[in-house]
Amino acid sequence: MKKRLVIANWKMYIHSPDAAKKFISLLKRKSAGLSGVEAWVAPPFTLLPVLKGVKLGGQTLSSYADGAHTGEISAAMLKAAGATFVIVGHSERRTLGDTNEDVHAQLAAAAGAGVVPVLCVGETARSADGAHFSLLEEQLASALRGAQSLAAKLIVAYEPVWAIGKSAEDAMQPGEVEETVIFIRKTLANILGRKEALRVPILYGGSVEPQNAATLITDGGVDGFLVGHASADLEQFVEILKSCRK
Ligand code: PEP
């Protein structure tokens, strides 16, 4: 049975080592009996070496392996600090200047170091003429250019930017999520090949909360979630995990 995957993107919400350690230990206890679902956590970089007991990831990375890049962190550094995965191309990083080219290079750097890339794609707005589908296609094609061999480890997170950081009422409706996931899967099949595309887990992110998690997982056609604000609230995060049980 393929487990569902729920990734916590802590952003800068939880930063004290003590609070983070307590969160993880309670998370483990409260989610211990949940079958068919797995929780991964992407804390701020500084917390990676102090946390244990759950799969950890970075929230971004440098495309460079080393050198004069002040403030940057490489895939190998992430790995040495305990990360097994990394979020790549998050919209909040794209807003800070990361281009499709940067995302492509970061993805290759992560995969090259054996760190699983969680590639985020998503439109800033939906338009009646369907322009958002072309944008998604472009983001996927440029990130995965020449990287067919990545398919074995790749995870894609569909994150419509307009739905991020709001509340369940503002999130995308399950039917629209499902339609977009089918489009993403088809696009992946064109880029990676059908067999490989079927293997890639596709997550949804954008105001997933306990109130909408169950309908999104049942009717949205996704393999799990990437959760922002609700992942920093233990009770809410555990409720979301419960909705994903199989
Ligand atoms: C995110 O930024 O990855 C995210 C999904 O945020 P939120 O759940 O807060 O919308």
Side-chain angles (χ1 to χ4, degrees), residues 7-11 13 87 90-92 120 157-161 163-167 171 204-209 225-231 240:
I7 302 180
N9 176 10
W10 277 2
K11 310 192 183 192
Y13 294 131
I87 299 171
H90 190 280
S91 59
E92 285 155 15
C120 296
Y158 169 54
E159 297 216 305
V161 183
I164 289 181
K166 301 199 172 142
S167 61
Y204 167 78
S207 298
V208 176
E209 294 183 340
F225 298 127
L226 177 55
V227 185
H229 63 273
S231 75
I240 293 169

mmCIF file of all heavy atoms in Angstrom, residues 7-11 13 87 90-92 120 157-161 163-167 171 204-209 225-231 240, ligand 1:
data_model
loop_
_atom_site.group_PDB
_atom_site.id
_atom_site.type_symbol
_atom_site.label_atom_id
_atom_site.label_comp_id
_atom_site.label_asym_id
_atom_site.label_seq_id
_atom_site.Cartn_x
_atom_site.Cartn_y
_atom_site.Cartn_z
ATOM 1 N N ILE A 7 3.605 16.783 4.302
ATOM 2 C CA ILE A 7 4.846 17.490 4.640
ATOM 3 C C ILE A 7 4.516 18.797 5.343
ATOM 4 O O ILE A 7 3.708 19.596 4.860
ATOM 5 C CB ILE A 7 5.695 17.776 3.377
ATOM 6 C CG1 ILE A 7 6.027 16.461 2.650
ATOM 7 C CG2 ILE A 7 6.971 18.516 3.753
ATOM 8 C CD1 ILE A 7 6.869 16.643 1.392
ATOM 9 N N ALA A 8 5.145 18.999 6.498
ATOM 10 C CA ALA A 8 4.989 20.252 7.243
ATOM 11 C C ALA A 8 6.056 21.232 6.778
ATOM 12 O O ALA A 8 7.249 20.937 6.867
ATOM 13 C CB ALA A 8 5.157 19.982 8.737
ATOM 14 N N ASN A 9 5.609 22.375 6.251
ATOM 15 C CA ASN A 9 6.542 23.453 5.920
ATOM 16 C C ASN A 9 6.440 24.480 7.049
ATOM 17 O O ASN A 9 5.518 25.291 7.065
ATOM 18 C CB ASN A 9 6.171 24.071 4.566
ATOM 19 C CG ASN A 9 7.058 25.254 4.216
ATOM 20 O OD1 ASN A 9 8.065 25.510 4.892
ATOM 21 N ND2 ASN A 9 6.704 25.978 3.167
ATOM 22 N N TRP A 10 7.382 24.397 7.969
ATOM 23 C CA TRP A 10 7.308 25.254 9.157
ATOM 24 C C TRP A 10 7.668 26.720 8.866
ATOM 25 O O TRP A 10 7.501 27.569 9.731
ATOM 26 C CB TRP A 10 8.242 24.715 10.256
ATOM 27 C CG TRP A 10 7.637 23.612 11.073
ATOM 28 C CD1 TRP A 10 6.397 23.050 10.911
ATOM 29 C CD2 TRP A 10 8.236 22.936 12.190
ATOM 30 N NE1 TRP A 10 6.206 22.069 11.856
ATOM 31 C CE2 TRP A 10 7.316 21.984 12.652
ATOM 32 C CE3 TRP A 10 9.471 23.035 12.830
ATOM 33 C CZ2 TRP A 10 7.588 21.137 13.731
ATOM 34 C CZ3 TRP A 10 9.741 22.196 13.900
ATOM 35 C CH2 TRP A 10 8.815 21.254 14.345
ATOM 36 N N LYS A 11 8.221 26.979 7.694
ATOM 37 C CA LYS A 11 8.641 28.352 7.371
ATOM 38 C C LYS A 11 9.440 28.925 8.552
ATOM 39 O O LYS A 11 10.360 28.288 9.027
ATOM 40 C CB LYS A 11 7.404 29.207 7.022
ATOM 41 C CG LYS A 11 6.502 28.530 5.987
ATOM 42 C CD LYS A 11 5.458 29.431 5.413
ATOM 43 C CE LYS A 11 4.562 28.654 4.464
ATOM 44 N NZ LYS A 11 3.711 29.476 3.651
ATOM 45 N N TYR A 13 7.765 29.677 11.440
ATOM 46 C CA TYR A 13 6.760 29.658 12.506
ATOM 47 C C TYR A 13 7.313 29.097 13.815
ATOM 48 O O TYR A 13 6.983 29.577 14.895
ATOM 49 C CB TYR A 13 5.554 28.800 12.091
ATOM 50 C CG TYR A 13 4.750 29.332 10.927
ATOM 51 C CD1 TYR A 13 4.417 28.494 9.859
ATOM 52 C CD2 TYR A 13 4.300 30.644 10.898
ATOM 53 C CE1 TYR A 13 3.647 28.949 8.795
ATOM 54 C CE2 TYR A 13 3.531 31.104 9.827
ATOM 55 C CZ TYR A 13 3.216 30.253 8.782
ATOM 56 O OH TYR A 13 2.464 30.704 7.738
ATOM 57 N N ILE A 87 12.467 21.225 -0.144
ATOM 58 C CA ILE A 87 11.444 21.926 -0.932
ATOM 59 C C ILE A 87 12.175 22.815 -1.949
ATOM 60 O O ILE A 87 13.084 23.560 -1.578
ATOM 61 C CB ILE A 87 10.541 22.778 -0.014
ATOM 62 C CG1 ILE A 87 9.816 21.878 0.998
ATOM 63 C CG2 ILE A 87 9.544 23.600 -0.837
ATOM 64 C CD1 ILE A 87 9.066 22.637 2.100
ATOM 65 N N HIS A 90 9.557 26.873 -4.002
ATOM 66 C CA HIS A 90 8.391 27.376 -3.274
ATOM 67 C C HIS A 90 8.085 28.806 -3.741
ATOM 68 O O HIS A 90 9.002 29.591 -4.002
ATOM 69 C CB HIS A 90 8.650 27.344 -1.761
ATOM 70 C CG HIS A 90 7.408 27.613 -0.968
ATOM 71 N ND1 HIS A 90 6.925 28.884 -0.769
ATOM 72 C CD2 HIS A 90 6.540 26.767 -0.363
ATOM 73 C CE1 HIS A 90 5.796 28.806 -0.062
ATOM 74 N NE2 HIS A 90 5.545 27.525 0.202
ATOM 75 N N SER A 91 6.820 29.152 -3.801
ATOM 76 C CA SER A 91 6.447 30.477 -4.342
ATOM 77 C C SER A 91 7.056 31.611 -3.516
ATOM 78 O O SER A 91 7.346 32.681 -4.061
ATOM 79 C CB SER A 91 4.931 30.630 -4.400
ATOM 80 O OG SER A 91 4.379 30.488 -3.108
ATOM 81 N N GLU A 92 7.254 31.369 -2.203
ATOM 82 C CA GLU A 92 7.847 32.446 -1.389
ATOM 83 C C GLU A 92 9.328 32.641 -1.739
ATOM 84 O O GLU A 92 9.880 33.718 -1.533
ATOM 85 C CB GLU A 92 7.626 32.143 0.106
ATOM 86 C CG GLU A 92 6.181 32.422 0.491
ATOM 87 C CD GLU A 92 5.652 31.663 1.697
ATOM 88 O OE1 GLU A 92 6.461 31.097 2.465
ATOM 89 O OE2 GLU A 92 4.419 31.623 1.863
ATOM 90 N N CYS A 120 7.842 22.554 -6.109
ATOM 91 C CA CYS A 120 6.584 23.305 -6.010
ATOM 92 C C CYS A 120 6.299 24.027 -7.313
ATOM 93 O O CYS A 120 7.175 24.711 -7.853
ATOM 94 C CB CYS A 120 6.668 24.353 -4.907
ATOM 95 S SG CYS A 120 6.868 23.665 -3.268
ATOM 96 N N ALA A 157 4.689 19.223 -5.652
ATOM 97 C CA ALA A 157 3.643 19.844 -4.829
ATOM 98 C C ALA A 157 2.954 20.908 -5.665
ATOM 99 O O ALA A 157 3.606 21.856 -6.111
ATOM 100 C CB ALA A 157 4.243 20.462 -3.573
ATOM 101 N N TYR A 158 1.660 20.729 -5.897
ATOM 102 C CA TYR A 158 0.891 21.753 -6.605
ATOM 103 C C TYR A 158 0.399 22.758 -5.566
ATOM 104 O O TYR A 158 -0.393 22.412 -4.687
ATOM 105 C CB TYR A 158 -0.282 21.132 -7.366
ATOM 106 C CG TYR A 158 -1.234 22.187 -7.887
ATOM 107 C CD1 TYR A 158 -0.745 23.237 -8.667
ATOM 108 C CD2 TYR A 158 -2.587 22.158 -7.582
ATOM 109 C CE1 TYR A 158 -1.588 24.244 -9.115
ATOM 110 C CE2 TYR A 158 -3.436 23.155 -8.033
ATOM 111 C CZ TYR A 158 -2.925 24.195 -8.788
ATOM 112 O OH TYR A 158 -3.755 25.193 -9.214
ATOM 113 N N GLU A 159 0.895 23.982 -5.682
ATOM 114 C CA GLU A 159 0.555 25.014 -4.705
ATOM 115 C C GLU A 159 0.069 26.285 -5.413
ATOM 116 O O GLU A 159 0.896 27.144 -5.777
ATOM 117 C CB GLU A 159 1.781 25.363 -3.860
ATOM 118 C CG GLU A 159 2.296 24.217 -3.027
ATOM 119 C CD GLU A 159 2.809 24.710 -1.684
ATOM 120 O OE1 GLU A 159 3.677 25.601 -1.666
ATOM 121 O OE2 GLU A 159 2.319 24.231 -0.667
ATOM 122 N N PRO A 160 -1.241 26.410 -5.641
ATOM 123 C CA PRO A 160 -1.726 27.650 -6.237
ATOM 124 C C PRO A 160 -1.419 28.808 -5.286
ATOM 125 O O PRO A 160 -1.849 28.804 -4.135
ATOM 126 C CB PRO A 160 -3.240 27.418 -6.375
ATOM 127 C CG PRO A 160 -3.562 26.295 -5.432
ATOM 128 C CD PRO A 160 -2.323 25.493 -5.267
ATOM 129 N N VAL A 161 -0.649 29.768 -5.774
ATOM 130 C CA VAL A 161 -0.122 30.821 -4.897
ATOM 131 C C VAL A 161 -1.249 31.628 -4.248
ATOM 132 O O VAL A 161 -1.175 32.015 -3.086
ATOM 133 C CB VAL A 161 0.828 31.746 -5.700
ATOM 134 C CG1 VAL A 161 1.443 32.810 -4.811
ATOM 135 C CG2 VAL A 161 1.928 30.924 -6.365
ATOM 136 N N ALA A 163 -3.897 30.660 -3.106
ATOM 137 C CA ALA A 163 -4.580 29.945 -2.007
ATOM 138 C C ALA A 163 -3.684 29.763 -0.786
ATOM 139 O O ALA A 163 -4.116 29.208 0.218
ATOM 140 C CB ALA A 163 -5.053 28.583 -2.510
ATOM 141 N N ILE A 164 -2.442 30.248 -0.871
ATOM 142 C CA ILE A 164 -1.491 30.019 0.224
ATOM 143 C C ILE A 164 -1.692 31.024 1.356
ATOM 144 O O ILE A 164 -1.934 32.212 1.110
ATOM 145 C CB ILE A 164 -0.035 30.075 -0.315
ATOM 146 C CG1 ILE A 164 0.239 28.829 -1.174
ATOM 147 C CG2 ILE A 164 0.979 30.161 0.816
ATOM 148 C CD1 ILE A 164 1.629 28.759 -1.741
ATOM 149 N N GLY A 165 -1.590 30.530 2.582
ATOM 150 C CA GLY A 165 -1.584 31.409 3.755
ATOM 151 C C GLY A 165 -2.931 32.023 4.080
ATOM 152 O O GLY A 165 -3.000 33.055 4.744
ATOM 153 N N LYS A 166 -4.000 31.389 3.624
ATOM 154 C CA LYS A 166 -5.338 31.932 3.925
ATOM 155 C C LYS A 166 -6.045 30.966 4.882
ATOM 156 O O LYS A 166 -5.435 30.511 5.829
ATOM 157 C CB LYS A 166 -6.092 32.139 2.622
ATOM 158 C CG LYS A 166 -5.348 33.107 1.705
ATOM 159 C CD LYS A 166 -6.223 33.675 0.650
ATOM 160 C CE LYS A 166 -5.470 34.762 -0.101
ATOM 161 N NZ LYS A 166 -5.766 34.752 -1.501
ATOM 162 N N SER A 167 -7.314 30.674 4.603
ATOM 163 C CA SER A 167 -7.990 29.704 5.460
ATOM 164 C C SER A 167 -8.739 28.711 4.578
ATOM 165 O O SER A 167 -8.840 28.907 3.357
ATOM 166 C CB SER A 167 -8.951 30.414 6.406
ATOM 167 O OG SER A 167 -9.913 31.076 5.640
ATOM 168 N N ALA A 171 -9.296 28.080 0.237
ATOM 169 C CA ALA A 171 -8.455 27.097 -0.464
ATOM 170 C C ALA A 171 -9.148 26.667 -1.754
ATOM 171 O O ALA A 171 -10.316 26.956 -1.984
ATOM 172 C CB ALA A 171 -8.213 25.881 0.424
ATOM 173 N N TYR A 204 -0.954 18.444 -2.690
ATOM 174 C CA TYR A 204 -1.586 19.760 -2.814
ATOM 175 C C TYR A 204 -1.188 20.608 -1.616
ATOM 176 O O TYR A 204 -1.134 20.106 -0.475
ATOM 177 C CB TYR A 204 -3.131 19.652 -2.856
ATOM 178 C CG TYR A 204 -3.782 21.012 -2.664
ATOM 179 C CD1 TYR A 204 -3.840 21.924 -3.713
ATOM 180 C CD2 TYR A 204 -4.283 21.398 -1.413
ATOM 181 C CE1 TYR A 204 -4.385 23.197 -3.524
ATOM 182 C CE2 TYR A 204 -4.831 22.664 -1.222
ATOM 183 C CZ TYR A 204 -4.880 23.556 -2.275
ATOM 184 O OH TYR A 204 -5.399 24.815 -2.091
ATOM 185 N N GLY A 205 -0.920 21.897 -1.858
ATOM 186 C CA GLY A 205 -0.642 22.832 -0.766
ATOM 187 C C GLY A 205 -1.348 24.142 -1.022
ATOM 188 O O GLY A 205 -1.410 24.619 -2.165
ATOM 189 N N GLY A 206 -1.862 24.743 0.037
ATOM 190 C CA GLY A 206 -2.572 26.021 -0.088
ATOM 191 C C GLY A 206 -3.744 26.013 0.862
ATOM 192 O O GLY A 206 -4.831 25.559 0.524
ATOM 193 N N SER A 207 -3.467 26.473 2.108
ATOM 194 C CA SER A 207 -4.518 26.569 3.129
ATOM 195 C C SER A 207 -5.222 25.241 3.415
ATOM 196 O O SER A 207 -6.450 25.183 3.502
ATOM 197 C CB SER A 207 -5.526 27.653 2.754
ATOM 198 O OG SER A 207 -4.859 28.899 2.704
ATOM 199 N N VAL A 208 -4.430 24.189 3.526
ATOM 200 C CA VAL A 208 -4.998 22.925 4.016
ATOM 201 C C VAL A 208 -5.126 23.057 5.528
ATOM 202 O O VAL A 208 -4.174 23.401 6.219
ATOM 203 C CB VAL A 208 -4.097 21.718 3.652
ATOM 204 C CG1 VAL A 208 -4.662 20.436 4.256
ATOM 205 C CG2 VAL A 208 -3.947 21.596 2.150
ATOM 206 N N GLU A 209 -6.314 22.803 6.006
ATOM 207 C CA GLU A 209 -6.611 22.879 7.442
ATOM 208 C C GLU A 209 -7.462 21.657 7.793
ATOM 209 O O GLU A 209 -7.929 20.948 6.894
ATOM 210 C CB GLU A 209 -7.380 24.181 7.747
ATOM 211 C CG GLU A 209 -6.540 25.444 7.508
ATOM 212 C CD GLU A 209 -7.271 26.742 7.868
ATOM 213 O OE1 GLU A 209 -8.518 26.734 7.947
ATOM 214 O OE2 GLU A 209 -6.568 27.759 8.061
ATOM 215 N N PHE A 225 -0.349 16.124 1.164
ATOM 216 C CA PHE A 225 -0.377 17.599 1.266
ATOM 217 C C PHE A 225 0.988 18.168 1.620
ATOM 218 O O PHE A 225 1.802 17.507 2.273
ATOM 219 C CB PHE A 225 -1.342 18.026 2.375
ATOM 220 C CG PHE A 225 -2.779 17.620 2.168
ATOM 221 C CD1 PHE A 225 -3.466 16.921 3.162
ATOM 222 C CD2 PHE A 225 -3.457 17.950 0.999
ATOM 223 C CE1 PHE A 225 -4.794 16.552 2.993
ATOM 224 C CE2 PHE A 225 -4.792 17.586 0.813
ATOM 225 C CZ PHE A 225 -5.462 16.885 1.823
ATOM 226 N N LEU A 226 1.174 19.424 1.222
ATOM 227 C CA LEU A 226 2.254 20.252 1.769
ATOM 228 C C LEU A 226 1.518 21.320 2.586
ATOM 229 O O LEU A 226 0.700 22.061 2.046
ATOM 230 C CB LEU A 226 3.076 20.872 0.635
ATOM 231 C CG LEU A 226 4.221 21.824 1.024
ATOM 232 C CD1 LEU A 226 5.202 21.178 1.986
ATOM 233 C CD2 LEU A 226 4.988 22.263 -0.228
ATOM 234 N N VAL A 227 1.797 21.340 3.887
ATOM 235 C CA VAL A 227 0.990 22.181 4.792
ATOM 236 C C VAL A 227 1.859 23.277 5.390
ATOM 237 O O VAL A 227 2.936 22.987 5.938
ATOM 238 C CB VAL A 227 0.384 21.318 5.927
ATOM 239 C CG1 VAL A 227 -0.552 22.173 6.780
ATOM 240 C CG2 VAL A 227 -0.353 20.112 5.368
ATOM 241 N N GLY A 228 1.411 24.510 5.306
ATOM 242 C CA GLY A 228 2.142 25.637 5.888
ATOM 243 C C GLY A 228 1.648 25.947 7.286
ATOM 244 O O GLY A 228 1.959 25.240 8.241
ATOM 245 N N HIS A 229 0.830 27.010 7.427
ATOM 246 C CA HIS A 229 0.491 27.510 8.772
ATOM 247 C C HIS A 229 -0.095 26.442 9.694
ATOM 248 O O HIS A 229 0.251 26.389 10.876
ATOM 249 C CB HIS A 229 -0.414 28.749 8.695
ATOM 250 C CG HIS A 229 -1.761 28.520 8.062
ATOM 251 N ND1 HIS A 229 -1.965 28.614 6.708
ATOM 252 C CD2 HIS A 229 -2.962 28.204 8.615
ATOM 253 C CE1 HIS A 229 -3.255 28.377 6.451
ATOM 254 N NE2 HIS A 229 -3.875 28.124 7.606
ATOM 255 N N ALA A 230 -0.953 25.558 9.151
ATOM 256 C CA ALA A 230 -1.582 24.562 10.036
ATOM 257 C C ALA A 230 -0.588 23.500 10.514
ATOM 258 O O ALA A 230 -0.864 22.780 11.475
ATOM 259 C CB ALA A 230 -2.763 23.910 9.325
ATOM 260 N N SER A 231 0.581 23.433 9.874
ATOM 261 C CA SER A 231 1.564 22.420 10.293
ATOM 262 C C SER A 231 2.329 22.858 11.538
ATOM 263 O O SER A 231 3.032 22.072 12.161
ATOM 264 C CB SER A 231 2.561 22.132 9.168
ATOM 265 O OG SER A 231 3.500 23.185 9.017
ATOM 266 N N ILE A 240 -5.090 16.826 10.415
ATOM 267 C CA ILE A 240 -4.876 16.677 8.968
ATOM 268 C C ILE A 240 -4.331 15.275 8.661
ATOM 269 O O ILE A 240 -4.783 14.603 7.729
ATOM 270 C CB ILE A 240 -3.934 17.786 8.438
ATOM 271 C CG1 ILE A 240 -4.634 19.146 8.536
ATOM 272 C CG2 ILE A 240 -3.484 17.514 7.005
ATOM 273 C CD1 ILE A 240 -3.732 20.356 8.288
HETATM 274 C C1 PEP B 1 2.935 26.675 1.787
HETATM 275 O O1 PEP B 1 3.354 27.824 1.810
HETATM 276 O O2 PEP B 1 3.624 25.729 1.374
HETATM 277 C C2 PEP B 1 1.585 26.420 2.276
HETATM 278 C C3 PEP B 1 0.944 25.390 1.845
HETATM 279 O O3 PEP B 1 1.123 27.364 3.163
HETATM 280 P P1 PEP B 1 -0.317 27.415 3.847
HETATM 281 O O4 PEP B 1 -0.708 26.010 4.254
HETATM 282 O O5 PEP B 1 -0.126 28.320 5.001
HETATM 283 O O6 PEP B 1 -1.253 27.954 2.827
#
